[in-house]
Each structure stands twice: as C-alpha cells, then as structure tokens.
Amino acid sequence: MEKIIIKGGHRLFGRVAVEGAKNAVLPLQAAGILASTGTLHLTNVPVLSDVIMMNELLKFLNIRVQFDRENHVIDLNAGQRISSEAPFQYVSKMRASMVVMGPLLARTGYAKIALPGGCAIGSRPIDLHLKGLRQLGAVIKQHDGYIEARADRLVGTNIYLDFPSVGATQNIMMAATLAEGITTIENCAREPEIVDLANALNKMGARVHGAGTDVIRIQGVNFLHGCDYRVMSDRIEAGTFMIAAAATNGDVVIENAESKYNEPLIAKLQDMGVTVIDQDDGIRVLGTSVLLPSTVQTAPYPGFPTDLQPQMTVLQLLANGTSTMNETVFEKRFMHLEELRRMNAEYQIKNSTAVLSGPTKFSGAEVAATDLRAGAALVIAGLVAQGITQVRNLKYLDRGYYHLHQKLAQLGAQIDRINIDDQIELASAKEVNHPERG
C-alpha cells in the first residue's frame, strides 16, 4: 500500500505541464476497434492506469496494441478478426470501458459487455447508451451481469438523449459511423472530448458534423481506417493545478492548458480574487492572500465541470466567508467532505448543496481518497494544511493523474509518495537486528 505524505504551508511557484486528456484518450482507444485497415497512431497519450486497463481490454479483443510509455504513443491495429466480448475482469474496474460496445456492435454486429464499474460517485446508468443503440437497430438483452447487443445491420435514425451524457454520446456516435444512412443525436454532450473524438473519427474516414453543439449528425460509411492523431490536453488536470496554485497563494504557469476549455473555472477563480492570465504557452494563475466566497453549480459542458467540484470545494473552504457548491450531476460526490472534516473543515449538506464555512485552517491528518477527483482534493488540502497529511487509496489518483506528487514537488511542495509495506518490512528488519534489551 502506498501513501502520499505532504508537509503543508508551501506556496507553489513555477511551471508545470499537463498531460493528454484521460477523458479523451479512452474513447479514442475504443475507436481503434472501428478501423478495419491501417493503424490508429495516438500521440500525447497519458500514462494512466485507466489507459493501461483499456489497452488490456483491447488486447483481449484481439487488437494489436503497442504502448510506448516513454514517448506517450499508442499504436492500435484492428485489421484482423476481433472478438466481441468484454469480460468482467476489465469492465468492472473502469466504467469508461462501456464505450467499446458501440464500436464492437458496428464492426462485428455483436457485443457482450460486463456491467461496468469505476469510481463510487453515485448512479451513472447506462440506459441512454442502450436506448440509442436500440434505436439504431440493436436487439439488447441483459443477463448474468452482462449486456448482449446484436444487430445484422445498424440503420441511421433520430435519437434524443434525455440527458447530455458524454458516454452515451460517444457510444452512439461511434456506432453510427458505420450505420446505414444518417444518424442525428439531439441534446447530446458538448464536451471538448466529444469534439476530439469526432475529429479523430473524421480523420479515420467518418463523416461526423456538429460536434461541440447539442446536435450531431453522422453520415454512415462502409469502413474506417487508421490515422495519426494527437490527444487533446487534459482540462481537468489543468484545472486541478489552477486550483492548487490559488489555494497556496502561488504563482504557477500551467503549460499546454487552454483557457477556452476551462472558462467556467476561470470565471469562478476571478470572482474569488485570483488572477488568471491567458498566455501563448498556457495559463498563469496568481493567488491572493484573501479569497472571497463563491457560489458554484456543476453542470454538463459548458457549465462548471463535476470533475473539478471536489478540488473547488477545498478552495471554497479557504475563502473568507460562506460558500455553496450545488452538485447536479452525481448524487454521491460529496464523500470527500467527510475526509476533509478530519482536517478541520466545517460544512453542511442540504440535499444536493454543500454549504462550506471558511476560512478553514486545515490541519494535517490521515485521509483516504474515495474516488479519483476526491484524491486530488485531499492532496490540495494537504498542501495548505498545518502539519503532515497522509493520503491513502492512491489507486484512484493513478486513474487520472500522472506523477502528481512529482509535479507538485517541482513547484515547491514538500510531498512524497512512499510504500508503506516497504516501511513496515524495514522496521521489522531493524527490530530483528536490534532487539530491545531488558
């Protein structure tokens, strides 16, 4: 078991580069299934446990995968006969692996997918995925913990999503690329990661129009091929560093960050008194000694991202007054606040709204990440806490951040990552070699 150990009280200063986007690369990997010829060559790929898990799933499907971690490159070749079953051992660990269903159905006419897992941040039903695929002509059955989908052929149609689900939009869009005729998806997700996927699909020979708006139209084609594609930068990692800089009253340039992807966060930071400067090479964030309270509500893009909610609540707890955070996307995304209570946070939760009392003088404690972004929030709290903070359950953090502790250390944080098992073995060895004398 590993822990991140932080001695708080140090301003962040300097430059930090963000990786390729986790939420963009996973559907791009799944899109490799659609290429019956050529190789999908992805660059700017983040080295994350979710990316590695998706690679393993694709290998199980008989897709040739080469991951050059040093150069952040993945080559995917699906030119041979591929399997259609995604078993529990992969899907249960990563909900995003559901996005292989649409490509498999389009490519092979059949998909058998284990019910998904992932972070425990509330109900994330896949009803919209299945509704869209059914409207394209798939026959879907659920049994024994699996979902089976069959279709002799997929036929384009009009699909209205009751909620602009990112995963459902991605699944339906990929399936529709090889469907007969035109598919229209209304009230679809508008996230930048949707645009990134559409751009890649179009380079592969698809005809996708309207990505980034609430209506996407796809003209089906007979086949897709490989291409070279660079994954967009990670707006959530960028936002995490922006919040960390503000929390520590720091001065940090986040390289490769694009302000257009983080406009809701930038607006809230500025409301709180933080200076945000858009530069040619990224975004510069300069903190303030007195943070103003703020009111934030999460929403699908272009609203405030739910994936930055836990980190933002730490900043709100540091503000000079009472702030509120209304979570409208996931009903269980306040679990990190109970861990922050161990660090002296005061708050109340009323239905979907957290009322946060500040300014909080965080004190170091041993805390555990309950999901990916909660882990990042606890690390940020540790950066400003008095004393030592220990963050456990790093398996969640590794799903979305590459070398987070090392990047923060380069900015001046006193932070390290240690293997507790090694420490215990070392202590036991010392005890054996130097027993206490009576």
Side-chain angles (χ1 to χ4, degrees):
M1 181 180 70
E2 291 185 301
K3 287 183 181 180
I4 285 180
I5 311 294
I6 310 161
K7 183 178 180 181
H10 299 273
R11 294 180 68 225
L12 298 185
F13 181 85
R15 306 175 70 89
V16 64
V18 296
E19 310 294 324
K22 164 189 178 287
N23 291 337
V25 72
L26 298 176
L28 288 172
Q29 290 171 270
I33 296 169
L34 294 165
S36 53
T37 63
T39 297
L40 179 59
H41 178 76
L42 298 176
T43 59
N44 196 37
V45 175
V47 184
L48 303 171
S49 60
D50 272 12
V51 172
I52 294 168
M53 182 58 65
M54 181 65 85
N55 281 342
E56 293 304 308
L57 171 55
L58 295 176
K59 289 177 185 176
F60 184 88
L61 296 174
N62 199 36
I63 294 170
R64 290 196 289 271
V65 180
Q66 291 184 315
F67 189 10
D68 182 347
R69 302 189 190 190
E70 183 177 348
N71 292 306
H72 297 255
V73 170
I74 293 178
D75 286 320
L76 302 168
N77 188 298
Q80 56 286 345
R81 182 180 178 85
I82 60 176
S83 175
S84 296
E85 181 175 339
F88 179 80
Q89 69 189 88
Y90 301 112
V91 184
S92 64
K93 298 177 182 178
M94 184 180 62
R95 180 171 293 268
S97 52
M98 245 330 262
V99 294
V100 303
M101 174 170 276
L104 283 177
L105 189 59
R107 175 75 189 277
T108 71
Y110 175 69
K112 182 178 180 182
I113 314 292
L115 288 170
C119 286
I121 56 175
S123 175
R124 295 194 282 183
I126 58 173
D127 301 9
L128 295 179
H129 300 243
L130 305 185
K131 172 187 174 183
L133 295 176
R134 281 194 178 101
Q135 288 183 256
L136 288 171
V139 176
I140 298 176
K141 298 179 180 179
Q142 182 176 331
H143 62 87
D144 302 324
Y146 279 83
I147 297 168
E148 277 192 283
R150 297 178 184 273
D152 291 335
R153 65 172 184 168
L154 297 177
V155 179
T157 187
N158 291 342
I159 299 170
Y160 180 87
L161 297 180
D162 297 327
F163 178 83
S165 162
V166 173
T169 301
Q170 292 166 338
N171 240 335
I172 297 166
M173 184 165 63
M174 286 190 281
T177 60
L178 298 180
E180 181 180 316
I182 297 175
T183 299
T184 302
I185 313 172
E186 298 183 75
N187 195 36
C188 59
R190 299 166 57 187
E191 272 74 0
E193 294 80 8
I194 297 290
V195 178
D196 211 41
L197 176 60
N199 289 340
L201 290 171
N202 286 339
K203 284 196 74 173
M204 295 169 67
R207 297 177 182 174
V208 181
H209 307 279
T213 74
D214 60 358
V215 178
I216 295 176
R217 288 183 174 85
I218 306 104
Q219 170 70 59
V221 297
N222 293 326
F223 71 95
L224 296 183
H225 53 75
C227 71
D228 293 352
Y229 194 78
R230 179 177 174 83
V231 181
M232 65 175 282
S233 63
D234 196 319
R235 63 190 174 100
I236 303 302
E237 184 190 11
T240 300
F241 282 116
M242 292 168 67
I243 293 170
T248 62
N249 191 15
D251 181 355
V252 177
V253 175
I254 300 97
E255 298 175 355
N256 306 326
E258 297 190 50
S259 59
K260 65 181 179 180
Y261 295 153
N262 272 306
E263 289 178 351
L265 172 62
I266 290 171
K268 290 301 178 182
L269 291 177
Q270 292 173 331
D271 288 346
M272 298 179 76
V274 177
T275 300
V276 182
I277 303 171
D278 190 9
Q279 301 184 168
D280 291 340
D281 59 348
I283 299 172
R284 183 180 180 186
V285 176
L286 297 94
T288 177
S289 57
V290 180
L291 286 163
L292 302 176
S294 66
T295 299
V296 181
Q297 175 172 295
T298 66
Y301 191 85
F304 192 95
T306 183
D307 278 354
L308 287 176
Q309 179 259 99
Q311 304 91 306
M312 190 64 179
T313 58
V314 175
L315 195 65
Q316 290 178 297
L317 284 164
L318 292 169
N320 190 21
T322 300
S323 297
T324 61
M325 173 64 76
N326 184 17
E327 173 58 60
T328 70
V329 181
F330 295 124
E331 75 276 10
K332 292 183 180 179
R333 203 153 205 178
F334 285 141
M335 291 189 291
H336 66 285
L337 290 177
E338 193 61 33
E339 294 300 304
L340 289 175
R341 195 192 295 276
R342 300 173 184 267
M343 301 179 69
N344 209 32
E346 293 186 11
Y347 66 91
Q348 291 183 327
I349 296 178
K350 299 177 181 179
N351 298 320
S352 62
T353 300
V355 181
L356 308 156
S357 301
T360 302
K361 293 183 178 179
F362 284 107
S363 58
E366 183 163 1
V367 290
T370 52
D371 65 73
L372 165 55
R373 307 305 172 182
L378 297 176
V379 169
I380 293 172
L383 294 175
V384 298
Q386 182 177 11
I388 304 296
T389 299
Q390 302 181 54
V391 182
R392 295 184 286 109
N393 283 1
L394 302 187
K395 63 181 181 180
Y396 293 117
L397 207 61
D398 292 340
R399 292 185 55 210
Y401 295 95
Y402 177 67
H403 289 172
L404 179 63
H405 69 290
Q406 293 179 11
K407 290 185 177 183
L408 290 171
Q410 291 171 3
L411 294 173
Q414 290 200 7
I415 183 171
D416 200 4
R417 179 166 175 159
I418 63 172
N419 191 317
I420 302 302
D421 295 333
D422 290 344
Q423 299 292 319
I424 293 172
E425 289 178 7
L426 180 60
S428 298
K430 288 181 177 179
E431 180 66 22
V432 170
N433 293 328
H434 304 284
E436 293 185 6
R437 301 188 179 207

